[in-house]
Amino acid sequence: MPVPPEYRVAQQVFESFMKDAAIECNVQTTHMVYNIVVGVFHTFRRRLAFKEAIEFAYVLPPLIRALFIAEWDVEEKQVPFKDREEMTKEVKSVRHEHNFSPDTAIINVATALRKHVNIRDFDNYLSKLSKEAQDYWNTK
């Protein structure tokens, strides 16, 4: 069996996603957007049950998936969803001395991410989660 295409183009998809996220967040470089993306992913991940988080990771391209699961303390307790303002504060707290997250970080990353996933699979998976989880990735 040949290497699946998603793995053959993983680096290009990742770089394109990071560039789109940087544009959406209005930061200059992918280095600056890195903490923003990590913050958005990890803030979301903390609110999912372990099984839900693994299933969410399956709908992400390989290197984006790696960011979602990076530095995961699987013993960490699941926390409830809060309003967007509170969750944005959490996003901004990730490596706060190097964090350039705008107040719209969650929407910005969601907008960029939707360009780089199979949108049908992504939305289908989200439809199985709570309304709060679905709203997290809402771009409006």
Side-chain angles (χ1 to χ4, degrees):
M1 178 175 158
V3 175
E6 70 180 66
Y7 292 100
R8 294 183 53 156
V9 298
Q11 184 65 33
Q12 294 96 320
V13 171
F14 179 74
E15 288 174 7
S16 182
F17 163 68
M18 293 296 281
K19 287 177 186 173
D20 284 344
I23 290 166
E24 290 293 331
C25 292
N26 197 29
V27 295
Q28 307 305 312
T29 69
T30 55
H31 294 288
M32 294 171 80
V33 83
Y34 174 80
N35 281 333
I36 301 170
V37 170
V38 167
V40 169
F41 281 161
H42 294 187
T43 296
F44 182 68
R45 188 182 71 201
R46 280 186 203 97
R47 286 156 174 83
L48 299 179
F50 184 78
K51 182 179 184 296
E52 292 172 327
I54 292 296
E55 290 171 348
F56 179 77
Y58 289 155
V59 299
L60 301 175
L63 294 179
I64 298 172
R65 181 183 314 140
L67 277 185
F68 180 74
I69 65 169
E71 302 172 19
W72 194 350
D73 175 1
V74 295
E75 300 295 325
E76 183 177 35
K77 297 223 184 277
Q78 183 179 350
V79 299
F81 281 90
K82 299 177 181 176
D83 66 37
R84 178 121 352 175
E85 185 177 327
E86 285 300 310
M87 290 188 292
T88 299
K89 287 179 186 175
E90 189 174 326
V91 170
K92 290 181 175 193
S93 73
V94 174
R95 298 181 193 102
H96 68 275
E97 64 280 352
H98 301 288
N99 194 310
F100 299 93
S101 296
D103 292 340
T104 55
I106 296 169
I107 292 171
N108 300 144
V109 172
T111 300
L113 183 62
R114 287 180 165 280
K115 295 176 186 175
H116 299 280
V117 295
N118 177 313
I119 200 67
R120 187 181 68 226
D121 292 347
F122 187 76
D123 285 339
N124 183 49
Y125 177 69
L126 288 180
S127 74
K128 299 173 185 176
L129 298 178
S130 69
K131 181 176 178 345
E132 294 87 0
Q134 293 172 41
D135 287 348
Y136 190 88
W137 296 105
N138 189 336
T139 58
K140 297 174 180 138

